[in-house]
């Protein structure tokens, strides 16, 4: 043993005596808080720890606990801090003894009832926190910091520490102390009454059975009122869903909480745990003595509840400036929608709606206890092979917290919460489901139509009230499920039947449909022009050109910039651009638009990391409120929607009114406005809702380039209006027939000479879009090469 208890105690006494840390005042304050709560709560009885309307960390039961910052210890003695992390049990006992010495000076007589102050280690333990998956044998008997989600929480049980027995024949009392495998003193030298260690006496596991006879075989009676107990609770900590590797089951570890640490964690909480990683003996774990595998647990020393926005995004001052500059653009929603899933062609309105869902509205908790949700729920129903599942996956990648499930692979209790039986203690415990784990996040449910009716009913409460209430097996609990729902489903008949009503095609009850703010019908349209654009987009995605992330890269997002190394000034710090080319930028980059000269990024998309930062910043920092004009506009448009309702559309209910408010608030967040205005917030919200209800695509949500407007034919922009679609196709054929025949031959004659600028080709043709389309078809055929606004014949 390197140092005895007395030496370690002296070292920690020197640390606590450092004036700049004020540990004497901290210890005195912890004892005062404990004593005050004990008086207010009836002398330290076990209760919920409520005081003046707030929870005071369960002070008043268990022990007073003072937080010791490991960073402060490291600044004083780095060697002592390293030894504390490598051998925590001995050092924690010495540190608590040193705190006890300080407490006796500051608050003399505080320990008259056997009270001892405890220590809670805070601050960073290592370079980064562990997850249950990263705990290995090298971490055993060391101080670790683990982050995860609590999935199973047991009931609080009393565990005997010291029992007192009375012998009626001898009229004497006997006491006995108990030590199990989860005791922090196990394996350490025993301590005598004066506080000194006894080196030749090691604390071992004792029997947990009450003695019935003394050493002379005389009967004993247990005095339960004189016996000492401590609170005991077990929690299963699972790694966070967004950090689990794809395709692998999440790992978990069991936590042991004692005394004042119990009842701090509920199912679904994201917590950071500081404790000692320990392997239990075979006798305690019930395994065979020949097995070399031991059950491992964490003896918890400190619990910290983490916030729900655990995105681990590092936003620099340069990012803040870029975010604020981008928020001033009038077409910010178009940029966000275009950047959401650049590998997916079309669906521009749905992408914008998904961007608003990631931003969400404003949650409101009224004074009378009413909760108004701010999360936006979206359902996509349509034909197969229309990129519904891919949109779900793209949203999952961008969202800080997302939980994915399928209709057939999940049950009602798996989505909400379940009451299970502990295999060890046979007691009932509450287990959180997907919607509880995704609190403050988003739940993606694919194949929503495959879910059974009984399972769909289970999520009704979670989608509107955003709580999960359990009343079964003697357990009554209410858990938070404040999450958005993004679902995708197929029609009842496989393909969408345009002759039937929407409700008949969807096959879901109105009670569930009304809980979805937006319902998009995604159809596979038979449009040759749109099919050609989709095919060109898909082919561009399968191309591979390794030259600085040029178009056709095999990923949605390129990590490299387009600048050459020769042009980089290494004396200046490199600034990463927030823009990047999308997959279809070969087609769009050289298209003729009047806005291209004014805006060089009219066809670019945002970098993936910057997009996440922008959405996170806008969602958490901006809390817009409605103006009087916005209220009047929303009321008028809602009345107009009610008057237009018929059997061919979805029902317009009071929830649709709240949908408008949520969409308008989300759009105000996107443009960094602290007020929701009638123009453009309410107008954009009404246009998106009108597109979902009546399949109308107005200019407010389609004010992008002509080429992008044309891509909406495959995303259901005119899925019901058959006559308008026919008129558009006929006009497109009349408009495009003449150039499609003459342009390729004329362009080839002008290009055959070698290198030619695009601006000098077919200058007499006013429709430059047709020229660029013809050039692109020639490039796809391998006849020409387009580079830097120049065309080369091959």
């Amino acid at each position: 043993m390197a140092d005895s208890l007395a030496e370690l105690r002296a070292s920690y006494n020197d640390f606590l005596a450092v004036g700049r840390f004020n540990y004497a005042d901290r210890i005195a304050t912890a004892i005062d808080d404990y004593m005050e709560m004990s008086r207010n709560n009836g002398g330290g009885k076990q209760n919920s720890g409520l005081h003046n309307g707030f929870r005071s960390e369960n002070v008043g039961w268990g022990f007073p606990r003072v937080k010791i910052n490991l960073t402060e210890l490291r600044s004083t003695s780095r060697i002592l801090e390293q030894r504390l992390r490598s051998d925590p049990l001995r050092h924690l006992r010495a540190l608590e003894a040193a705190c006890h010495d300080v407490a006796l000076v500051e608050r003399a007589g505080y320990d008259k009832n056997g009270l001892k102050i405890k220590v809670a280690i805070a601050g960073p333990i290592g370079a980064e926190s562990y997850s249950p998956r990263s705990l290995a044998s090298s971490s055993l008997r060391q101080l670790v910091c683990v982050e995860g989600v609590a999935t199973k929480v047991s009931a609080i049980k009393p565990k005997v520490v010291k029992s007192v027995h009375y012998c009626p024949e001898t009229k004497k009392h006997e006491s006995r102390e108990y030590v199990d495998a989860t005791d922090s003193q196990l394996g350490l030298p025993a301590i005598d009454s004066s506080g000194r260690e006894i080196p030749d006496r090691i604390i071992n596991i004792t029997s947990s059975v009450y003695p019935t006879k003394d050493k002379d075989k005389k009967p004993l009676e247990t005095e339960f009122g004189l016996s000492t107990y401590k609170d005991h609770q077990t929690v299963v900590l699972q790694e966070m869903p967004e950090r689990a590797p794809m395709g692998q089951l999440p790992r978990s570890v069991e936590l042991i909480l004692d005394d004042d640490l119990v009842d701090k964690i509920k199912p679904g909480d994201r917590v950071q745990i500081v404790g000692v990683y320990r392997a239990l003996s075979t006798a305690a774990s019930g395994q065979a003595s020949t097995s070399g595998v031991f059950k491992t647990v964490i003896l918890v020393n400190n619990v910290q509840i983490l916030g729900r926005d655990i995105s681990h995004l590092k936003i620099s001052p340069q990012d803040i400036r870029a975010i604020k500059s981008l928020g001033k653009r009038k077409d910010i929603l178009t940029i966000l929608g275009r950047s959401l899933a650049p590998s997916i062609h079309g669906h521009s309105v749905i992408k914008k709606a998904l961007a608003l869902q990631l931003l969400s509205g404003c949650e409101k908790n009224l004074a009378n206890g009413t909760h108004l949700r701010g999360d936006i729920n979206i359902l996509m129903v349509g034909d197969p092979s229309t990129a519904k599942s891919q949109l779900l996956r793209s949203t999952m990648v961008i969202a800080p917290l997302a939980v994915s499930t399928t209709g057939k692979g999940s049950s009602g209790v798996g989505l909400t919460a379940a009451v299970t039986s502990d295999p060890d203690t046979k007691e009932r415990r509450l287990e959180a489901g997907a919607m509880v784990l995704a609190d403050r996040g988003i739940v993606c449910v694919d194949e929503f139509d495959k879910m059974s009716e009984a399972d769909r009913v289970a999520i009704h409460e979670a989608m509107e009230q955003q709580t999960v209430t359990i009343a079964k097996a003697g357990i009554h609990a209410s858990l938070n499920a404040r999450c958005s729902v993004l679902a995708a489903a197929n029609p009842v008949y496989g393909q969408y039947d345009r002759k039937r009503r929407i409700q008949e095609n969807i096959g879901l009850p109105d009670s569930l449909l009304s809980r979805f703010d937006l319902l998009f019908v995604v159809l596979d349209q038979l449009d040759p022009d749109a099919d050609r654009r989709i095919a060109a987009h898909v082919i561009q995605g399968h191309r591979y050109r390794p030259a600085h992330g040029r178009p056709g890269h095999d990923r949605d997002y390129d990590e490299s910039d387009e600048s050459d190394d020769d042009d980089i000034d290494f004396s200046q710090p490199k600034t990463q651009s927030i823009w990047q080319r999308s997959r279809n930028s070969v087609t769009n980059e050289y298209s003729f638009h009047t806005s291209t000269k004014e805006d060089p990024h009219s066809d670019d998309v945002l970098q993936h990391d910057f997009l996440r930062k922008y959405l996170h910043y806008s969602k958490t920092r901006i809390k817009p409120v409605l103006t009087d004009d916005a209220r009047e506009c929303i009321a008028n448009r809602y009345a107009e929607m009610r008057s237009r309702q018929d059997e061919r559309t979805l029902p317009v209910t009071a929830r649709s009114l709240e949908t408008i408010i949520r969409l308008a608030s989300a759009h105000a967040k996107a443009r960094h406005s602290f007020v929701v205005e009638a123009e453009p917030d309410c107008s954009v919200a009404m246009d998106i809702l009108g597109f979902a209800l009546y399949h109308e695509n107005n200019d407010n949500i389609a004010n992008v380039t002509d080429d992008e407007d044309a891509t909406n034919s495959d995303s259901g922009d005119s899925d019901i209006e058959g006559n308008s679609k026919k008129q558009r196709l006929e006009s497109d054929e009349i408009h495009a027939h003449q150039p499609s025949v003459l342009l390729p031959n004329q362009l080839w004659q002008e290009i055959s000479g070698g290198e030619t600028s695009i601006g000098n080709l077919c200058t007499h043709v006013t429709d430059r879009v047709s020229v660029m389309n013809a050039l692109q078809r020639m490039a796809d055929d391998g006849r020409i090469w387009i580079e830097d606004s120049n065309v080369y014949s091959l």
Side-chain angles (χ1 to χ4, degrees):
M1 188 177 298
D3 292 322
S4 64
L5 177 62
E7 295 174 346
L8 293 177
R9 191 171 182 173
S11 300
Y12 285 111
N13 274 323
D14 295 339
F15 162 68
L16 296 176
V18 177
R20 69 177 186 271
F21 298 143
N22 295 323
Y23 273 110
D25 294 340
R26 297 188 195 180
I27 294 173
T29 302
I31 296 175
D32 292 342
D33 291 342
Y34 176 85
M35 295 300 180
E36 181 181 358
M37 293 302 298
S38 298
R39 289 190 297 267
N40 294 337
N41 294 323
K45 293 181 180 179
Q46 295 185 4
N47 46 56
S48 60
L50 293 175
H51 178 53
N52 293 335
F54 65 91
R55 185 182 184 90
S56 183
E57 299 294 273
N58 284 335
V59 177
W61 58 328
F63 297 93
R65 192 173 291 264
V66 60
K67 287 189 176 181
I68 302 296
N69 198 314
L70 213 59
T71 305
E72 297 173 350
L73 178 61
R74 188 182 299 114
S75 64
T76 305
S77 175
R78 189 173 185 84
I79 297 178
L80 193 61
E81 182 266 341
Q82 292 176 352
R83 294 170 61 187
L84 171 61
R85 289 193 286 117
S86 59
D87 189 11
L89 295 178
R90 284 199 317 118
H91 284 257
L92 284 176
R93 184 166 71 171
L95 182 56
E96 290 177 354
C99 292
H100 178 64
D101 295 339
V102 177
L104 289 177
V105 176
E106 297 294 329
R107 296 293 184 269
Y110 91 100
D111 60 337
K112 58 183 178 180
N113 294 325
L115 194 66
K116 290 292 183 69
I117 192 167
K118 294 287 185 180
V119 168
I121 301 297
I125 304 299
E128 59 183 9
S129 300
Y130 284 93
S131 71
R133 183 179 297 274
S134 58
L135 291 174
S137 59
S138 58
S139 304
L140 286 174
R141 291 188 61 83
Q142 292 189 359
L143 194 68
V144 295
C145 180
V146 184
E147 292 182 355
V149 181
T151 56
K152 299 179 182 179
V153 179
S154 70
I156 301 174
K157 296 291 185 180
K159 178 183 286 189
V160 62
V161 177
K162 179 181 179 182
S163 63
V164 179
H165 309 276
Y166 174 72
C167 180
E169 296 184 9
T170 61
K171 308 294 183 181
K172 294 182 179 179
H173 288 83
E174 295 183 4
S175 63
R176 180 177 178 183
E177 296 183 354
Y178 297 85
V179 177
D180 64 350
T182 62
D183 198 301
S184 59
Q185 305 296 323
L186 181 64
L188 297 179
I191 300 178
D192 58 13
S193 58
S194 61
R196 292 193 297 268
E197 284 185 341
I198 306 176
D200 56 346
R201 182 183 171 188
I202 304 299
I203 300 177
N204 295 316
I205 298 177
T206 60
S207 175
S208 59
V209 180
Y210 281 154
T212 57
K213 295 181 181 180
D214 61 2
K215 58 183 179 180
D216 297 329
K217 304 300 182 181
K218 294 179 181 180
L220 294 175
E221 297 177 357
T222 302
E223 297 286 352
F224 292 98
L226 299 177
S227 301
T228 305
Y229 299 87
K230 67 178 179 180
D231 297 302
H232 179 78
Q233 188 181 30
T234 60
V235 175
V236 176
L237 190 72
Q238 191 179 91
E239 64 179 328
M240 297 182 184
E242 65 273 16
R243 301 185 189 179
M246 184 66 66
Q248 297 187 25
L249 292 176
R251 303 285 178 84
S252 59
V253 64
E254 187 173 351
L255 310 179
I256 304 296
L257 298 97
D258 293 326
D259 298 319
D260 57 313
L261 295 177
V262 301
D263 202 25
K264 283 191 174 184
I265 304 174
K266 65 178 183 298
D269 279 347
R270 292 169 168 261
V271 296
Q272 183 185 71
I273 299 297
V274 176
V276 182
Y277 190 48
R278 189 172 195 173
L280 301 184
S281 64
T282 55
S285 58
Q287 297 173 344
S289 58
T290 57
S291 173
V293 180
F294 297 88
K295 179 181 178 181
T296 55
V297 298
I298 294 180
L299 307 182
V300 179
N301 178 264
N302 189 20
V303 176
Q304 180 181 356
I305 306 296
L306 299 177
R308 291 294 174 182
D309 295 327
I310 306 300
S311 55
H312 292 281
L313 294 176
K314 297 180 180 179
I315 302 180
S316 63
Q318 292 80 5
D319 293 331
I320 297 293
R321 287 193 291 268
I323 288 172
K324 292 183 177 180
S325 175
L326 188 64
K328 298 178 182 178
R329 296 184 55 139
K330 295 182 179 180
D331 59 342
I332 179 60
L333 185 59
T334 301
I335 296 173
L336 295 178
R338 191 170 65 225
S339 306
L340 189 65
S343 64
I344 300 174
H345 189 334
H347 299 300
S348 59
V349 182
I350 299 179
K351 290 180 181 179
K352 295 173 185 176
L354 294 178
L356 294 181
Q357 184 186 35
L358 292 173
L359 290 169
S360 75
C362 294
E363 178 184 358
K364 297 179 179 64
N365 294 302
L366 305 183
N368 59 1
T370 304
H371 171 77
L372 301 178
R373 66 180 173 93
D375 298 305
I376 301 172
N377 300 327
I378 297 178
L379 174 63
M380 293 182 292
V381 178
D383 297 330
S385 184
T386 51
K388 299 189 300 294
S389 299
Q390 290 297 324
L391 286 172
L392 261 66
R393 298 297 173 186
S394 300
T395 305
M396 283 185 57
V397 172
I398 295 176
L401 170 59
V403 176
S404 175
T405 181
T406 59
K408 205 65 177 176
S410 60
S411 60
V413 294
L415 286 173
T416 55
V419 177
T420 59
S421 179
D422 192 338
D424 297 331
T425 61
K426 305 301 181 185
E427 66 179 10
R428 297 287 184 178
R429 61 168 54 179
L430 204 58
E431 188 169 352
M435 301 189 76
V436 178
L437 295 178
D439 190 26
R440 299 298 187 190
I442 185 171
V443 176
C444 298
V445 185
D446 203 358
E447 305 294 342
F448 192 68
D449 55 307
K450 307 300 188 300
M451 192 181 300
S452 64
E453 182 64 26
D455 297 334
R456 280 199 294 261
V457 172
I459 67 174
H460 279 202
E461 179 195 6
M463 290 186 63
E464 190 61 35
Q465 280 73 37
Q466 294 195 312
T467 57
V468 174
T469 303
I470 296 295
K472 60 178 68 174
I475 295 179
H476 300 272
S478 181
L479 304 176
N480 288 325
R482 297 160 295 185
C483 60
S484 302
V485 177
L486 176 59
N490 290 322
V492 176
Y493 309 100
Q495 295 282 343
Y496 192 90
D497 190 352
R498 293 167 175 80
K499 299 179 181 179
R500 298 181 181 269
R501 297 171 59 243
I502 297 179
Q503 291 86 341
E504 296 176 358
N505 278 282
I506 296 175
L508 298 176
D510 288 344
S511 60
L512 183 59
L513 291 180
S514 64
R515 284 170 165 80
F516 284 101
D517 298 289
L518 298 173
L519 192 151
F520 293 106
V521 178
V522 190
L523 298 183
D524 186 9
Q525 295 288 344
L526 299 178
D527 188 345
D529 190 44
D531 292 341
R532 184 188 61 81
R533 280 192 293 269
I534 294 174
H537 182 85
V538 173
I539 291 172
Q540 291 293 339
H542 285 274
R543 282 186 180 179
Y544 181 75
R545 297 180 187 172
H548 296 288
R550 284 286 201 276
H553 200 280
D554 59 343
R555 286 177 293 179
D556 267 2
Y557 301 96
D558 299 327
E559 300 176 354
S560 58
D561 295 333
E562 296 184 55
S563 58
D564 296 331
D565 293 341
D566 297 338
D567 300 333
I568 298 178
D569 183 7
F570 291 98
S571 62
Q572 300 293 332
K574 182 181 178 181
T575 58
Q576 185 75 17
S577 174
I578 64 174
W579 298 97
Q580 68 177 16
R581 295 182 181 179
S582 60
R583 275 187 174 181
N584 60 339
S585 56
V586 168
T587 305
N588 292 337
E589 180 188 359
Y590 303 103
S591 297
F592 181 80
H593 301 303
T594 57
S595 61
T596 303
K597 296 180 180 179
E598 301 176 359
D599 182 13
H601 303 294
S602 58
D603 295 318
D604 294 344
V605 299
L606 297 176
Q607 291 278 355
H608 177 254
D609 291 338
F610 181 79
L611 177 62
R612 297 186 65 199
K613 295 176 182 177
Y614 186 91
L615 294 174
H616 177 75
Y617 180 90
S618 303
K619 180 179 180 179
T620 56
R621 301 292 183 90
I622 311 298
K623 303 296 180 184
V625 295
L626 289 172
T627 60
D628 294 336
D629 294 340
R631 296 190 189 99
E632 186 68 22
C633 177
I634 292 174
N636 295 335
R637 298 297 290 270
Y638 172 70
E640 179 185 348
M641 288 168 52
R642 292 278 290 182
S643 63
R644 292 185 59 185
Q645 178 181 351
D646 56 27
E647 63 177 7
R648 298 291 298 178
T649 63
L650 292 172
V652 179
T653 63
R655 286 176 176 151
S656 303
L657 181 61
E658 294 184 351
T659 296
I660 303 174
I661 299 175
R662 281 189 283 267
L663 292 175
S665 300
H667 188 267
K669 287 183 177 182
R671 61 187 188 90
H672 292 178
S673 173
F674 288 95
V675 292
V676 179
E677 300 176 354
E679 190 69 36
D681 300 323
C682 295
S683 299
V684 171
M686 284 303 307
D687 291 337
I688 293 180
L689 185 59
F691 173 77
L693 290 176
Y694 314 114
H695 314 283
E696 295 175 351
N697 192 357
N698 297 331
D699 292 337
N700 286 321
I701 55 174
N703 56 352
V704 290
T705 62
D706 297 337
D707 183 67
E708 186 171 348
D709 283 339
T711 63
N712 292 328
S713 60
D714 69 302
S715 60
D717 290 1
S718 59
D719 46 8
I720 304 300
E721 304 294 337
N723 294 331
S724 61
K725 174 176 181 288
K726 182 178 179 181
Q727 294 173 1
R728 191 185 72 246
L729 288 177
E730 290 176 354
S731 62
D732 287 346
E733 290 177 0
I734 295 174
H735 177 72
H737 174 72
Q738 186 71 15
S740 63
V741 176
L742 301 178
L743 275 179
N745 295 331
Q746 186 174 357
L747 288 172
W748 179 249
Q749 293 177 0
E750 297 184 11
I751 298 172
S752 59
E755 177 182 355
T756 309
S757 175
I758 293 179
N760 297 329
L761 293 175
C762 296
T763 56
H764 63 282
V765 179
T766 58
D767 187 4
R768 306 303 296 178
V769 176
S770 300
V771 175
M772 295 310 306
N773 291 337
L775 288 174
Q776 181 57 40
R777 286 193 294 269
M778 296 172 66
D780 294 339
D781 295 337
R783 301 172 63 187
I784 61 174
W785 175 263
I786 303 175
E787 180 71 24
D788 295 335
S789 300
N790 293 325
V791 182
Y792 304 89
S793 61
L794 300 179

